[in-house]
Amino acid sequence: MLLDRSRLPVVFIRTDADEETSINDQIEALLEERRPFVLVTDHAPDGHGDETQEERKERALFFKKIRDRMRAYCRGMIVIDGGRPMSPAAKLAAVAVGKAFGFAIVFAADEEEAERKGRSLIGSRDDAWLL
């Protein structure tokens, strides 16, 4: 996976791209910048069915470790759904993730709509001037 930062403050999680640096290390580096951002992914919140129990545990521990910094800097997550209806399980997972991190999770049909919504989320906060 790759964090595509070419359109900061909108950051795309590219699940189909390979990167030598682990996704966790890429997220840590992004958080170290201490700048507001929005994450965009085409990976559904409930799309971890192929993970082992150990991988789930590792992911949960990582997110627990970064939770406070995510709340401070991440203004939201946008899931590109291609205009397809999301399953009830995916919607529940999105609500749970959003509550856990304290930010909105919204859906978009494509990257262009996701970027527009992401910039809107950034602009809706009082600290948008930091960018």
Side-chain angles (χ1 to χ4, degrees):
M1 281 204 256
L2 169 71
L3 281 188
D4 176 357
R5 301 159 47 119
S6 64
R7 297 190 238 177
L8 272 170
V10 179
V11 179
F12 289 81
I13 301 172
R14 305 286 185 195
T15 57
D16 59 348
D18 290 326
E19 174 63 31
E20 288 182 25
T21 306
S22 76
I23 191 66
N24 291 359
D25 288 345
Q26 293 176 66
I27 292 170
E28 287 275 8
L30 178 62
L31 291 168
E32 286 299 316
E33 291 181 16
R34 299 179 177 188
R35 298 170 33 146
F37 63 91
V38 172
L39 287 175
V40 178
T41 184
D42 60 1
H43 185 77
D46 65 342
H48 296 279
D50 59 343
E51 281 184 332
T52 66
Q53 182 67 24
E54 185 61 31
E55 289 169 329
R56 271 192 214 91
K57 183 178 175 182
E58 269 183 48
R59 186 168 41 88
L61 289 173
F62 175 71
F63 283 120
K64 183 176 179 179
K65 174 183 167 187
I66 66 168
R67 181 180 57 220
D68 290 340
R69 290 182 293 158
M70 286 292 285
R71 284 182 182 201
Y73 302 115
C74 185
R75 299 301 182 250
M77 176 178 275
I78 300 168
V79 177
I80 298 173
D81 62 10
R84 297 177 308 274
M86 294 297 282
S87 72
K91 288 181 181 178
L92 284 174
V95 169
V97 169
K99 281 186 176 185
F101 285 107
F103 54 68
I105 297 187
V106 297
F107 298 88
D110 56 34
E111 281 195 16
E112 290 74 28
E113 181 182 2
E115 185 170 3
R116 265 193 325 277
K117 287 183 174 186
R119 293 192 183 282
S120 177
L121 285 172
I122 289 288
S124 68
R125 293 286 296 255
D126 292 338
D127 55 3
W129 62 271
L130 292 172
L131 298 174

